[in-house]
Amino acid sequence: MTRSTPANSSAGVRREAEKSPLAPDSILAAQSPAMRSKLAKLGISSDFDLILHLPLRYVDETHIFPIAHALYGQMVQVEATVVKTEVRFRPRRQLVCLVEDRSGEMYVRLLNFYPSQQKMLSEGTRVRLLGELRLGFLGPEMVHPQIRVVREGVPLKENLTPVYPTTAGLGQEQLRKLIARALTQCDLQDTLPAELVREYRLASFAESIQYLHQPPPDAPLSELESRQHWAWQRLVFDELLAQQLSMRRHYARRRSLVAPSLPPTNTLTSALLAALPFALTGAQRRAFDEISRDLSARHPMQRLLQGDVGSGKTIVAALACAQALEHGFQAAVMAPTEILAEQHYRKMQEWLSPLGITVAWIAASVPKRAREIMLEQVASGAAQIAVGTHALFQEQVNFARLGLAVVDEQHRFGVEQRLALHNKGVNPHQLMMSATPIPRTLSMSYYADLDVSVIDELPPGRTPIMTRLIEEARREEVEARVRAACAGGRQAYWVCPLIEESEKLQLQTALDTHARLSATFPDLQVGLVHGRMKAKEKAEAMAAFKAGALNLLVATTVIEVGVDVPNASLMVIEHAERMGLSQLHQLRGRVGRGAAQSACILLYAPPLSEMAKARLKIIYEHTDGFEIARQDLALRGPGEFLGARQSGVAMLKIADIERDQAVLDQARQSAEKLLRAKSAIADMHLARWLARAEQYLKV
Ligand code: ADP
Ligand code: MG
C-alpha cells in the first residue's frame, strides 16, 4: 500500500473514527463486556485507542545473557538449566531453585508459588528467566522472574518487548496481543500535511507508532524512556496539536454564540469608582478596559483575569458586574469555598449596596427561610447580584436575566459545575479569576481557549513583607515575635504543616498546635480553622479573626486563598519545606495587606534537601509571584501550579508541557495556521485524537 497524501486520506481517517468503537469488525467489539470495561479504565474505548496506548518501558527478550555477565540491578533474560529445587521454610516458606548456564549459577526465589511451578522447575529443565538480577543472601538471584520452559528451537523475540500501563486483571500478554492486532488492522496513515512534517522534521505517524510498539533490538532505551526519541517526539507533536486544535476550536465555537452586548454606559461603574477609598492601579484599569470591551461584544466573553494575591482582582470583578447591571442584567459571583465567597459577598455589599444594588448570598449555611427569600429575589430579578459557592448552581437557583458569571479561583471548580452555571443564563459572559501566576509563555499555550488579562502591579502603600527562614529549634524566638505583634494590637496566623499522606494526622497536628499555642499564650485569644470543620464553623472563626476578636489564628492550609484581614501582620508557616512555592507565596500574601510592617516566618526542619534549599531561597529572595512561578517552573516543572486545573495539561498522556515546551509552541502555531486556513486536516487530526481531545474541552 502506498501512503496516500493527507488530502485524500481524510475520508479514510474519518471512516476509521466513525466505525470505532463498536463496528462489527472492530477488535473492541469482539471483547467481553468485562474486558471492555477493563480497557475503558485505561482510556481505551476504540480500536485506535489501542494504537495510542503506548509502552511505559521495554524489556529485552531478544538476547540471552550469560549469568556471569549480567550486572546487578539489570533487567536481563538468561537461559539456564535447573540444578535443584526445594521448598525452604526459613525465613519464610518459599521455593528456592538453583539454575546454571555455562557461565555460572544463580538462584530463583518464589515467595508465593503453586505446586505446578514447583513441578515445572524440576531438575534438568531448561528455562528462560526474565527478571532483575540481584545480589541476595544466597548469591546472585532473581525473585519472581518471568519463567518459560524452553524446548529445542524456541526462537528469541525479534523486537524489544513493550511493557504497557495496565490495570488489575489485565495481563501484559493480553494487552500486547490486542495492540499487535490493532497495529495490523488500523489505518495508520498520516494526518499531517507533508509540508508540516518537513518543516518540523517529524517522522511519519505509522513509522513512529510501529517503532514505539515494536522497537528493534538495538533501539536506544534511554532515549525511548526519556521520550526524547524521534518516534515519541512525533506523537508528542500530534497530541499537542490535537489539544491546541480542540482548545482553539472550542474558543471559536463559543465566540460564535450570541451573548447580550453590554457596552459601558458608565452610570454605575463611575459611581462605584467615585465611592472607592482608593484609585485603581494602572494594571487594574487596563484589565477592566479589556473586560469592558469584551462585555460590549455580541459573543460571550471568556476571559481569565490573572493577578498575584492582593493585586486587587475583586474590585475589577465588581466593576465588570456593575457594567452588566447597567443594562438591567444580573451577575453571579462564585468562589470555591464559603470563606472566600462570603468575603466576596461582603465586598460586593460594601461597594454596591450604597448604590442601590441588592446582593443575594447563597451558600449551604444560609438558613432555609432566608435562602428561599434570596432565591426568590434572584428569580424575580430583585437581586441584581448573587454571590455564593457551588450552591449557586446546585440548587434551584434561577436567574431572571443572567448576563455575567464571575468565577474566582476557577481551577478549583470541576467542569460540570462550570457547565451547570453556564446553562443558567442564555450565554452569560464569563470572567474567571486566578491568583496562580503562570509564566506568560506557558499560559499562552495552556489557556489557549481563553483570553487572558494580567494584573501585574500591586496597589500602592503596601509595606513589603519581610521573609525570615528560621530553624524549628528556635521556635521560642518566633513565639516571642507573635507575642510582640499581638501586644502591638496586630494579629497573626500560624499555619500548620502540610501532611500529605494523612488527612487525619494533619487534623491532629492542627488540634495539637492549637492546644500548645493556647497554653503558650494564655493571655491571647487563639482560634482554629481546619479543613474538617463545617463551612459555617470555618466562616465563624474567620469572621472572629477578621473582627479582631481573635489575636492568633491557627490554621491548616485552608486559608490559602483570598482571605483579607489587613490587621494581620505576621504569618508563621511550619515545615515550610514541605509546601509548594506557589502555596507559600499565596500564604505569605495573607499578610502585608495593611500599612504595618509585616513579616512571614518560614520554620523549617533540617536537614534540608538541595531541592528544598533551592526552593526556600527562591521564596526568601522574591516577592513577585510571577518571578517565583517562573523559577518554580524551572525547578520543578509545571505540575505543581497547574496540577489543580482539570484541563488539557492534566489530560495530556504523551506530552509534558515543560519537557516539550518547544514542541508546544510549534503545535500552537500549526493549530492557528490550520484553523485560519479552514484546513480539513484539522478535522482529520481531531478525528484520530478525538477521544482524548474532547477531554481537553473546558467550559
Ligand atoms: P486579590 O487579587 O488577591 O483577590 P483583593 O481583591 O482581595 O486581592 O484586594 C486586596 C486588597 O487590596 C483589598 O483590601 C482591596 O480592597 C485592596 N485594593 C484593591 N485595589 C486597590 C487599589 N487600587 N488601591 C488600594 N487598595 C486596593
Ligand atoms: Mg481574591
Side-chain angles (χ1 to χ4, degrees):
M1 193 189 79
T2 56
R3 212 175 76 202
S4 40
T5 61
N8 56 32
S9 67
S10 76
V13 174
R14 222 173 279 140
R15 229 178 300 123
E16 173 64 50
E18 277 161 21
K19 80 179 172 201
S20 62
L22 292 174
D25 59 339
S26 108
I27 299 169
L28 243 63
Q31 305 306 313
S32 67
M35 176 61 118
R36 278 213 297 273
S37 89
K38 281 180 212 158
L39 290 168
K41 276 196 200 137
L42 297 174
I44 299 171
S45 53
S46 75
D47 288 5
F48 213 85
D49 289 340
L50 285 168
I51 298 281
L52 298 178
H53 193 68
L54 295 168
L56 286 172
R57 55 190 174 83
Y58 304 91
V59 289
D60 186 354
E61 294 176 280
T62 68
H63 296 93
I64 301 279
F65 266 80
I67 292 173
H69 294 181
L71 300 174
Y72 291 129
Q74 195 179 10
M75 194 65 181
V76 287
Q77 174 167 259
V78 303
E79 191 168 311
T81 308
V82 176
V83 179
K84 188 168 110 185
T85 294
E86 62 186 11
V87 180
R88 295 199 184 173
F89 293 90
R90 241 160 251 158
R92 55 179 280 199
R93 186 169 179 270
Q94 52 182 302
L95 190 69
V96 176
C97 166
L98 179 66
V99 301
E100 66 172 8
D101 68 5
R102 266 190 232 152
S103 75
E105 43 177 53
M106 68 170 209
Y107 288 91
V108 171
R109 284 200 294 132
L110 303 182
L111 301 173
N112 297 300
F113 59 94
Y114 297 106
S116 61
Q117 284 170 309
Q118 185 178 357
K119 223 159 110 199
M120 176 174 84
L121 292 171
S122 63
E123 199 183 313
T125 309
R126 280 230 298 157
V127 285
R128 251 180 225 161
L129 303 160
L130 177 72
E132 188 189 314
L133 191 72
R134 304 200 311 201
L135 180 56
F137 185 67
L138 305 165
E141 65 171 15
M142 282 184 188
V143 179
H144 284 275
Q146 173 187 303
I147 306 172
R148 282 178 225 248
V149 174
V150 285
R151 290 167 195 93
E152 287 314 315
V154 176
L156 287 167
K157 293 266 172 75
E158 283 172 23
N159 300 106
L160 297 183
T161 311
V163 178
Y164 293 106
T166 189
T167 180
L170 181 58
Q172 286 294 334
E173 271 316 311
Q174 282 174 297
L175 251 179
R176 282 178 200 141
K177 280 201 187 112
L178 287 171
I179 292 170
R181 184 135 32 103
L183 282 172
T184 62
Q185 287 187 15
C186 290
D187 181 354
L188 300 183
Q189 59 199 315
D190 231 280
T191 49
L192 299 187
E195 70 265 18
L196 201 78
V197 171
R198 222 175 305 116
E199 184 181 350
Y200 294 127
R201 305 173 58 83
L202 298 169
S204 83
F205 179 76
E207 202 184 346
S208 306
I209 280 290
Q210 288 289 356
Y211 196 99
L212 291 178
H213 286 294
Q214 299 169 343
D218 59 349
L221 280 179
S222 64
E223 260 178 63
L224 282 174
E225 255 150 47
S226 66
R227 303 198 170 182
Q228 306 289 353
H229 191 270
W230 54 260
W232 274 114
Q233 288 295 301
R234 163 62 207 252
L235 294 175
V236 163
F237 183 90
D238 276 19
E239 187 182 40
L240 289 172
L241 180 65
Q243 181 208 35
Q244 292 294 309
L245 281 172
S246 82
M247 286 169 91
R248 293 307 299 175
R249 257 260 167 99
H250 179 241
Y251 176 84
R253 210 179 295 142
R254 285 190 49 78
R255 217 178 155 84
S256 69
L257 298 174
V258 177
S261 163
L262 310 169
T265 64
N266 295 323
T267 43
L268 258 181
T269 51
S270 337
L272 173 54
L273 283 171
L276 284 180
F278 52 78
L280 294 189
T281 62
Q284 284 172 316
R285 186 79 255 168
R286 270 194 305 281
F288 179 57
D289 283 347
E290 287 166 355
I291 292 164
S292 176
R293 215 173 313 127
D294 283 0
L295 289 172
S296 314
R298 305 207 144 272
H299 54 79
M301 165 166 75
Q302 33 193 341
R303 186 168 286 278
L304 175 72
L305 178 59
Q306 272 201 325
D308 209 342
V309 279
S311 62
K313 295 182 291 294
T314 320
I315 184 62
V316 175
L319 284 164
C321 293
Q323 184 168 326
L325 265 53
E326 286 173 356
H327 293 266
F329 278 86
Q330 291 168 297
V333 179
M334 263 189 333
T337 67
E338 190 147 342
I339 293 177
L340 270 183
E342 187 174 355
Q343 207 161 267
H344 285 316
Y345 172 62
R346 289 186 194 287
K347 284 266 147 118
M348 295 289 167
Q349 278 274 29
E350 176 190 327
W351 289 329
L352 291 165
S353 58
L355 306 176
I357 306 298
T358 304
V359 184
W361 166 234
I362 294 174
S365 66
V366 177
K368 191 156 176 280
R369 186 72 201 107
R371 179 204 191 87
E372 276 166 13
I373 295 173
M374 301 275 191
L375 287 175
E376 254 168 53
Q377 288 181 330
V378 174
S380 70
Q384 292 99 324
I385 298 187
V387 184
T389 54
H390 50 274
L392 257 190
F393 34 69
Q394 272 181 350
E395 306 297 317
Q396 323 73 355
V397 187
N398 290 305
F399 287 86
R401 285 185 94 194
L402 182 62
L404 169 66
V406 177
V407 184
D408 196 10
E409 297 299 327
Q410 52 92 25
H411 57 277
R412 294 178 54 176
F413 285 98
V415 170
E416 310 76 39
Q417 293 175 317
R418 294 200 297 265
L419 232 180
L421 181 72
H422 162 73
N423 290 339
K424 289 204 179 287
V426 195
N427 274 309
H429 293 282
Q430 284 191 54
L431 178 64
M432 285 145 277
M433 303 199 284
S434 168
T436 310
I438 293 173
R440 193 157 187 83
T441 48
L442 194 54
S443 98
M444 277 164 68
S445 306
Y446 182 53
Y447 291 122
D449 60 336
L450 297 172
D451 296 307
V452 180
S453 295
V454 179
I455 305 184
D456 53 4
E457 180 186 354
L458 290 182
R462 305 251 168 102
T463 35
I465 304 166
M466 277 194 319
T467 302
R468 291 278 172 270
L469 290 171
I470 297 185
E471 208 180 294
E472 210 175 34
R474 289 164 54 198
R475 168 180 301 277
E476 275 169 26
E477 278 169 50
V478 179
E479 289 169 355
R481 293 190 69 143
V482 170
R483 202 171 276 121
C486 295
R490 301 285 161 197
Q491 291 164 278
Y493 296 99
W494 193 291
V495 179
C496 298
L498 180 70
I499 299 171
E500 266 172 359
E501 317 83 64
S502 160
E503 209 187 322
K504 218 165 130 192
L505 215 58
Q506 166 114 33
L507 175 64
Q508 194 50 49
T509 309
L511 297 174
D512 292 349
T513 309
H514 178 250
R516 188 168 49 74
L517 291 173
S518 300
T520 310
F521 304 115
D523 47 333
L524 297 181
Q525 296 301 315
V526 185
L528 173 67
V529 277
H530 58 72
R532 296 298 289 272
M533 281 162 79
K534 292 208 178 74
K536 188 158 170 277
E537 296 167 347
K538 266 191 257 184
E540 278 166 9
M542 286 310 303
F545 188 63
K546 183 149 193 172
L550 298 173
N551 308 95
L552 177 62
L553 187 66
V554 176
T556 54
T557 49
V558 293
I559 58 158
E560 179 185 344
V561 280
V563 189
D564 189 28
V565 182
N567 192 47
S569 66
L570 179 63
M571 161 134 334
V572 181
I573 303 176
E574 290 209 53
H575 278 289
E577 78 279 2
R578 289 186 194 167
M579 289 190 204
L581 278 191
S582 27
Q583 196 176 21
L584 282 176
H585 176 67
Q586 302 252 327
L587 282 169
R588 182 171 61 180
R590 302 299 119 229
V591 292
R593 298 196 150 211
Q597 172 67 61
S598 295
C600 176
I601 296 177
L602 304 177
L603 280 174
Y604 65 90
L608 291 177
S609 68
E610 286 308 310
M611 175 64 97
K613 272 186 210 156
R615 295 169 63 224
L616 289 177
K617 183 163 181 284
I618 294 174
I619 199 84
Y620 177 71
E621 288 177 351
H622 298 276
T623 51
D624 173 0
F626 281 85
E627 182 56 26
I628 290 170
R630 208 184 56 72
Q631 299 214 17
D632 197 14
L633 178 70
L635 209 57
R636 283 166 61 102
E640 181 184 330
F641 47 86
L642 299 184
R645 198 182 185 216
Q646 288 280 323
S647 75
V649 170
M651 297 296 174
L652 290 172
K653 284 197 173 168
I654 299 174
D656 170 326
I657 52 169
E658 190 211 13
R659 182 193 62 209
D660 302 317
Q661 178 77 54
V663 186
L664 178 56
D665 282 341
Q666 297 170 349
R668 180 166 52 84
Q669 284 166 24
S670 308
E672 271 165 24
K673 242 186 268 171
L674 292 172
L675 290 175
R676 220 178 301 127
K678 302 213 180 333
S679 163
I681 288 155
D683 294 317
M684 284 161 42
H685 192 75
L686 278 175
R688 173 169 280 171
W689 288 84
L690 197 67
R692 291 163 184 224
E694 280 302 319
Q695 303 171 5
Y696 308 140
L697 298 187
K698 305 166 288 281
V699 180

